[in-house]
Amino acid sequence: MVTYMRRLLKLLIYLAVIFLLFIIVPQAFREGGSMASAFRDMFADRQFLLLMLILAAYILAYPLVGFARMERHLNGSFSDNRSFFEDALKAVSYMKTEESADRIVYRRSSKYYRFMQFGEDRIVLETGGNPVIISGPRRTVARVNQIVEQKILGDQV
């Protein structure tokens, strides 16, 4: 729940800044009025309120559907298959930032992408047992899982 709230708050702040920069400020300067009058005019419009409702639904749903936790079953232990995970994460431009006995954390190599993903770019491998649990942004987790699967299957042939 704490992770959900943190991600929700980050997204809310990010979208509020974008909203102010690209919608409110230009409209205030275009009409020669104040920002307060621009806000009043926008909130009086029903289509704008519908847009805000849709945006609120997106903000509430994104932390739930944008991140995933996936199990990767291995033939053997994690130490036998570690190179597959390292190669897969290198292929998607991630670097290791932290390692403990049963957990490895990877972050995006590019600071630009870290910023664009609100700092929520971490891939965490929980290596304590079999299956290995991969958690992080849904698209990246699926991509890493697919690359590891291809490497494991290619190694068996």
Side-chain angles (χ1 to χ4, degrees):
M1 186 64 164
V2 174
T3 305
Y4 172 79
M5 293 304 290
R6 185 187 72 236
R7 289 175 179 160
L8 179 78
L9 188 61
K10 282 183 178 182
L11 184 62
L12 185 63
I13 291 169
Y14 183 76
L15 291 176
V17 168
I18 289 174
F19 178 74
L20 281 173
L21 287 176
F22 293 110
I23 296 177
I24 300 294
V25 173
Q27 183 164 345
F29 284 121
R30 182 178 41 228
E31 295 177 1
S34 66
M35 295 256 274
S37 67
F39 268 116
R40 272 194 308 274
D41 292 343
M42 280 192 211
F43 283 104
D45 185 11
R46 288 181 186 246
Q47 289 179 344
F48 179 76
L49 291 176
L50 180 62
L51 175 68
M52 289 294 104
L53 208 62
I54 292 169
L55 191 61
Y58 173 77
I59 290 171
L60 290 172
Y62 180 73
L64 295 173
V65 298
F67 296 88
R69 183 177 171 94
M70 190 174 290
E71 295 179 351
R72 171 80 255 163
H73 294 276
L74 303 173
N75 295 332
S77 66
F78 174 76
S79 58
D80 297 337
N81 297 288
R82 183 183 184 112
S83 64
F84 297 146
F85 285 94
E86 290 174 351
D87 292 344
L89 285 155
K90 190 180 290 185
V92 293
S93 301
Y94 275 72
M95 63 182 184
K96 184 172 23 172
T97 58
E98 176 184 328
E99 183 172 359
S100 65
D102 61 342
R103 179 181 154 125
I104 304 173
V105 178
Y106 288 85
R107 300 282 312 256
R108 196 75 175 192
S109 301
S110 169
K111 290 181 182 179
Y112 171 74
Y113 282 111
R114 281 189 203 174
F115 173 74
M116 292 306 293
Q117 291 180 326
F118 325 120
E120 294 292 338
D121 62 330
R122 295 180 341 143
I123 296 289
V124 179
L125 299 177
E126 295 175 20
T127 61
N130 195 358
V132 171
I133 299 172
I134 309 167
S135 58
R138 181 174 298 280
R139 287 181 62 192
T140 308
V141 166
R143 200 173 293 151
V144 167
N145 187 44
Q146 183 180 19
I147 293 170
V148 168
E149 184 173 344
Q150 289 172 352
K151 290 188 177 289
I152 288 174
L153 292 175
D155 190 48
Q156 292 177 357
V157 175

